[in-house]
Amino acid sequence: MSLISVSNLEKVYHNEDVETKALSSASFSIEKGEFISIMGPSGSGKSTLMQILGLLDRATGGVYLFEGKDVTRFTDDELAHLRNKTIGFVFQAFNLLPKTSVYENVELPLLYDEKQVENNEKKVLSAIEAVDMTHRKDYLSSQLSGGEKQRVAIARALVNNPEIIFADEPTGNLDSKAGLQVMSILQKLNNEGHTIVLVTHETYTAEHAKRILSMKDGQIIGDAPVVNRRIARAGETFLK
């Protein structure tokens, strides 16, 4: 059974009498342990697709199965519960609380489940260690560099041990060195078994994944494995 399976997925926005189709007839599956890039120019529909796959928005039509469950039939509360338990997000803008420590930012997703409070510390420290930020765990996020903030955001996405991590333009606000570090961490996490979906408009960034879904005008125009995959290594320059 696929982790994600969608068929003829569509998203239509209505503004008064204007109808805009942001996503049309998307059909594909994602297996556990894959590393996929969704690539396309601005306005291609890639962020819309990610929001639907990440249960942040609902499709207008089509079928979406997550671990075999038809999530189009879920209530908003059921979607929120599933999202918090099984999905991690990394955004271009980091979305950290500025006057809060690294530890507290990473712990945040765990606070939605009172039953897990006694296990929080071990989970948080493990996630922080996974992104090599243990030495910064007591720093405020406002004291960190952009690359460090993104690593904390990845740790926060990891803390619930999600089935899948969505990374939306994770290197977009970073310099070349920090961008390389982030891609290296994502590849390491994938090697450890985490499913990664990377959204990007850059071919170079997309080629760090193992498979690329190409989008244009709301449609998937390509779905192919990466032949010459780029591996992020220390000492190399991350081109943009």
Side-chain angles (χ1 to χ4, degrees):
M1 178 179 64
S2 299
L3 177 59
I4 285 176
S5 179
V6 300
S7 178
N8 295 318
L9 211 60
E10 294 191 350
K11 181 65 177 180
V12 178
Y13 293 101
H14 296 275
N15 184 8
E16 295 183 353
D17 295 331
V18 179
E19 180 179 287
T20 303
K21 185 169 284 190
L23 186 64
S24 178
S25 303
S27 299
F28 59 90
S29 62
I30 298 174
E31 306 301 322
K32 290 184 179 182
E34 281 202 275
F35 189 160
I36 292 178
S37 284
I38 301 175
M39 188 185 75
S42 178
S44 62
K46 59 186 186 298
S47 292
T48 298
L49 178 58
M50 188 214 75
Q51 290 170 356
I52 293 172
L53 296 180
L55 307 180
L56 295 171
D57 197 2
R58 292 180 181 270
T60 308
V63 177
Y64 177 12
L65 301 181
F66 189 97
E67 294 187 316
K69 301 174 183 177
D70 184 357
V71 297
T72 61
R73 300 177 182 272
F74 280 28
T75 65
D76 289 345
D77 287 344
E78 288 173 332
L79 287 178
H81 179 76
L82 181 62
R83 185 170 61 243
N84 189 54
K85 290 294 184 182
T86 61
I87 298 174
F89 295 97
V90 181
F91 297 101
Q92 180 176 345
F94 317 130
N95 293 352
L96 302 180
L97 300 177
K99 296 182 179 180
T100 305
S101 71
V102 166
Y103 182 98
E104 291 167 328
N105 268 286
V106 174
E107 184 186 29
L108 191 60
L110 299 176
L111 301 182
Y112 291 101
D113 188 350
E114 296 179 357
K115 298 178 182 178
Q116 295 189 7
V117 172
E118 61 186 38
N119 299 319
N120 281 7
E121 183 175 5
K122 181 178 180 181
K123 291 182 178 182
V124 173
L125 294 178
S126 177
I128 292 173
E129 182 180 2
V131 298
D132 300 322
M133 286 293 288
T134 302
H135 61 299
R136 293 280 195 266
K137 69 181 179 67
D138 296 320
Y139 279 52
L140 299 180
S141 63
S142 58
Q143 296 174 304
L144 305 177
S145 68
E148 289 173 330
K149 289 178 180 178
Q150 197 59 292
R151 286 155 65 185
V152 174
I154 293 172
R156 183 183 58 194
L158 274 175
V159 74
N160 261 334
N161 192 29
E163 289 288 346
I164 187 168
I165 295 174
F166 289 94
D168 190 5
E169 301 281 7
T171 64
N173 286 338
L174 305 181
D175 60 27
S176 59
K177 181 179 179 181
L180 176 65
Q181 291 173 335
V182 166
M183 294 310 302
S184 178
I185 289 170
L186 291 177
Q187 289 184 329
K188 180 186 77 170
L189 293 175
N190 179 245
N191 290 340
E192 293 171 354
H194 292 278
T195 306
I196 310 289
V197 175
L198 170 69
V199 176
T200 181
H201 66 278
E202 301 167 340
T203 301
Y204 183 89
T205 305
E207 289 175 346
H208 284 79
K210 297 177 180 177
R211 172 183 164 203
I212 297 177
L213 290 176
S214 300
M215 297 193 68
K216 183 179 180 181
D217 298 331
Q219 295 184 319
I220 295 175
I221 60 172
D223 182 352
V226 178
V227 178
N228 295 308
R229 188 188 183 202
R230 299 184 185 276
I231 304 299
R233 297 187 176 90
E236 293 183 342
T237 300
F238 186 82
L239 303 177
K240 303 195 73 175

